[in-house]
Amino acid sequence: MQTVTMEVKNEDVADAIRTLLGRILALDEIDAVMVPGRLPGSRSVMPLLIHDPDQLDNSDPLSPAFALNAAKQVCRLTRTATPKRVAAVLRPCEIRAFIELVKLKQGLREQVIIIGSDCPGAYPNKIFDALTREGDDSGADHGYVKRPSVDESSLSKACRACEHPMPTGADLAVCLWGVDTGREVMVDAQTDSGREILDRLGLKATPLPDQRAAAVETVVAERTRFRDSMFAETAAATDSLEKLDHYFAHCVNCYNCRTACPVCYCRQCVFETNLFDHDPLQYLSWTRRKGMIKMPTDTIFYHLTRLAHMSTACVGCGQCSNACPNDIDVMSLFRTVAHRTQAAFDYQAGRDVAERPPLSEFREHEFADTAGLHWRKEA
Amino acid sequence: MQSFEPLIIAFVCNWCTYTAADLAGTSRLTYPSNVRLIRVMCTGMVDPQYIIKAFLEGADAVLVSGCHPGDCHYINGNFKARRRIRLLKEILPQFGFEADRLQLTWIGASDGIQFTQTMRELTERTRELGPVASRSQMVF
């Protein structure tokens, strides 16, 4: 079966998705479902691994919270083969990150049924916290689903600049845009596994509505415009080393951006090794040469190296900015650079599990003008 | 700026370009002393961070030089290096490093003359470019 419809009652789209998850969890071959949900007694929304169908009431599959990119959690569940599979509800950027991690041998794609949905975007942690603190406890449903005209400015910048809000790569795609979500949501199978699952759920088949393509295009066009102006602003703000220094002036080398990054998969980052426990004389030699240095050192070195190491895998989820204690706009810079590095290799992170990461392969005949002395004679 | 003497860091592979440098030496050929050679076993082991570090620490140009395609002693290290250089040529110019400051060449073990010519040409071009803009203002 290709596409099915799920009835929406009382305009509660999230509940329709919960019903879908309940049916999937009831299948013999599915052991558990990972889905964002409220921790009991808390305002916090985190990925929950649910085995007991009764616990699905805690799930909040369309929550506007985005505490972490759950791709690494899916890797924990799929590192080795298990007798049964799990299902996971993921944002499009989490799906892309997981696909990158599968390529890097951190998880097994076939061990998980991925359920994605059109992504209206998420709030930064601080804004979600403030909103729920003010007593807006309705978080079960995403305001943007109900009110397409919601003021987007409170959404995370990464989400506003996200030109891939579709759950590409998911087994099952929950379609919200171009669908009358007051009445129904549609679930579209995007893989063979997805079709097999739908066949066994006993739901009503339906074609996708014609207006869907146009609705998707509108969202993508708006976000692409936002993204392009973000690229231009960020490039202008960092086009010299001095400006780059200013951009990261508040960086305290906490490496939270690295920890939060779903595609930074090294067990131990070189920046956390004793390679950077410099001899005291080294610092003195630097300050003698420059007259003054900032402590801790190696800040720009760290960010440039991370750009070189992971920008080709950057999926633009924005968790680096979310994790920064000093509100540095890390995401804008990483996306700006990643856009160029991925284009250089005709690559798009998370697009296709069959594509190999650009730096893990090579061709004999390529990039002819990269080798040999070639001068760009600027004016 | 007349007295500007560029500092050039060259990562050269043990089997080809370093051997070419050795040949240049034993042949009593000369090349500018601006170039500091760092011998590595293969260009395929030059992590982008080595190059970034060199630039941040004062290099005005960085050269990575190894065996011609097909001659790599580790079969394909030079092809991997080419992709990494391609990557850095996309990243570094965004922060004010002219793309010309980073070069990759293939210089075989018997190319002593070509080695000295390459070093001369790179030194001249870097001298034209001058020092890396605004690096002196960086406090890291």
Side-chain angles (χ1 to χ4, degrees):
Chain A
M1 211 173 283
Q2 185 58 46
T3 310
V4 298
T5 176
M6 303 278 311
E7 190 189 351
V8 171
K9 290 175 197 148
N10 307 322
E11 295 200 346
D12 193 346
V13 179
D15 205 50
I17 299 177
R18 264 184 227 115
T19 308
L20 173 73
L21 297 178
R23 296 208 180 199
I24 290 174
L25 192 51
L27 295 174
D28 262 353
E29 56 162 307
I30 303 291
D31 224 345
V33 175
M34 194 178 83
V35 55
R38 295 256 169 150
L39 298 181
S42 164
R43 292 177 289 119
S44 181
V45 174
M46 286 287 181
L48 304 176
L49 183 63
I50 297 179
H51 175 74
D52 178 356
D54 291 343
Q55 298 293 341
L56 278 174
D57 290 345
N58 290 313
S59 73
D60 197 352
L62 288 174
S63 170
F66 189 21
L68 50 83
N69 188 309
K72 276 183 174 170
Q73 307 311 313
V74 183
C75 288
R76 287 179 186 274
L77 300 173
T78 62
R79 200 163 55 86
T80 56
T82 49
K84 293 183 176 186
R85 289 191 284 182
V86 292
V89 177
L90 297 175
R91 291 181 182 279
C93 55
E94 294 176 311
I95 299 172
R96 295 197 294 275
F98 178 62
I99 288 175
E100 285 303 297
L101 290 169
V102 168
K103 294 175 191 175
L104 297 162
K105 312 261 186 286
Q106 304 298 302
L108 299 170
R109 174 65 185 88
E110 61 278 9
Q111 280 295 310
V112 58
I113 296 291
I114 298 176
I115 302 156
S117 79
D118 297 343
C119 183
Y123 292 125
N125 285 350
K126 282 172 192 163
I127 290 186
F128 180 76
D129 183 64
L131 284 177
T132 50
R133 197 176 295 235
E134 283 161 14
D136 173 14
D137 212 35
S138 67
D141 207 340
H142 196 296
Y144 191 51
V145 176
K146 283 189 191 159
R147 298 169 288 151
S149 62
V150 71
D151 172 20
E152 275 212 40
S153 66
S154 54
L155 290 179
S156 151
K157 193 175 177 187
C159 301
R160 301 176 71 195
C162 174
E163 76 281 46
H164 299 296
M166 319 296 303
T168 312
D171 296 295
L172 295 175
V174 176
C175 307
L176 304 174
W177 294 328
V179 174
D180 179 6
T181 53
R183 214 161 48 83
E184 61 179 353
V185 288
M186 293 184 182
V187 183
D188 188 42
Q190 302 193 130
T191 63
D192 288 341
S193 304
R195 276 182 283 274
E196 276 169 36
I197 297 271
L198 282 194
D199 283 342
R200 290 154 57 193
L201 293 186
L203 293 163
K204 201 174 104 199
T206 180
L208 278 173
D210 294 339
Q211 68 269 25
R212 176 165 165 75
V216 168
E217 207 175 302
T218 309
V219 177
V220 171
E222 191 184 330
R223 292 183 183 197
T224 305
R225 263 196 306 280
F226 185 91
R227 180 201 75 175
D228 289 346
S229 69
M230 177 184 91
F231 284 168
E233 274 167 32
T234 311
T238 56
D239 63 5
S240 74
L241 282 175
E242 197 181 4
K243 287 190 192 171
L244 189 63
D245 231 14
H246 293 163
Y247 198 87
F248 285 112
H250 296 294
C251 179
V252 293
N253 292 31
C254 69
Y255 306 137
N256 282 0
C257 47
R258 189 202 76 79
T259 308
C261 179
V263 296
C264 256
Y265 70 103
C266 293
R267 290 273 152 171
Q268 187 172 32
C269 176
V270 62
F271 284 90
E272 290 173 30
T273 64
N274 61 6
L275 205 64
F276 289 87
D277 296 338
H278 305 297
D279 191 284
L281 285 172
Q282 176 69 70
Y283 298 101
L284 298 171
S285 133
W286 275 328
T287 191
R288 259 185 242 129
R289 195 172 77 209
K290 287 172 173 270
M292 175 179 87
I293 56 168
K294 187 212 89 179
M295 302 288 277
T297 56
D298 300 304
T299 306
I300 296 302
F301 185 30
Y302 160 69
H303 290 289
L304 286 178
T305 300
R306 215 167 76 80
L307 278 169
H309 282 175
M310 57 60 65
S311 70
T312 53
C314 176
V315 296
C317 68
Q319 284 299 340
C320 43
S321 288
N322 209 12
C324 181
N326 294 326
D327 293 326
I328 298 168
D329 193 0
V330 187
M331 178 280 301
S332 296
L333 180 66
F334 274 64
R335 275 223 65 193
T336 302
V337 172
H339 186 67
R340 293 188 51 163
T341 55
Q342 292 180 21
F345 295 101
D346 193 19
Y347 185 78
Q348 204 186 87
R351 175 170 56 189
D352 182 355
V353 75
E355 283 177 330
R356 296 191 63 195
L359 294 181
S360 70
E361 63 166 4
F362 55 84
R363 310 254 181 282
E364 189 178 348
H365 300 288
E366 62 176 3
F367 306 124
D369 58 357
T370 297
L373 296 182
H374 293 281
W375 309 125
R376 287 185 201 178
K377 292 286 183 190
E378 289 101 359
Chain B
M1 214 44 73
Q2 271 174 330
S3 62
F4 171 66
E5 277 302 328
L7 173 64
I8 296 169
I9 299 294
F11 294 97
V12 294
C13 96
N14 181 57
W15 306 103
C16 289
T17 307
Y18 185 83
T19 311
D22 209 23
L23 176 63
T26 50
S27 312
R28 295 179 178 262
L29 301 170
T30 59
Y31 66 94
S33 59
N34 305 64
V35 184
R36 316 289 155 85
L37 300 187
I38 296 178
R39 178 166 62 158
V40 293
M41 288 309 284
C42 178
T43 51
M45 67 156 285
V46 179
D47 189 296
Q49 67 174 324
Y50 302 171
I51 295 166
I52 292 166
K53 177 78 170 171
F55 276 123
L56 293 178
E57 287 288 310
D60 299 297
V62 173
L63 171 72
V64 176
S65 186
C67 307
H68 285 275
D71 286 356
C72 178
H73 279 55
Y74 307 99
I75 302 172
N76 53 32
N78 47 3
F79 291 132
K80 292 172 182 162
R82 184 166 59 190
R83 285 213 160 200
R84 291 179 192 138
I85 299 294
R86 179 71 192 83
L87 173 79
L88 284 172
K89 276 183 176 279
E90 211 56 61
I91 295 177
L92 293 173
Q94 299 193 52
F95 306 115
F97 292 98
E98 294 82 350
D100 281 2
R101 293 184 189 274
L102 175 60
Q103 295 292 334
L104 170 72
T105 56
W106 316 130
I107 299 176
S110 57
D111 297 338
I113 294 171
Q114 197 200 332
F115 173 83
T116 60
Q117 280 169 349
T118 302
M119 299 304 155
R120 268 196 294 277
E121 203 183 321
L122 180 59
T123 307
E124 262 165 50
R125 175 64 182 139
T126 312
R127 198 174 273 131
E128 274 171 37
L129 285 169
V132 173
S134 81
R135 182 170 55 198
S136 56
Q137 272 93 58
M138 282 186 83
V139 289
F140 283 96

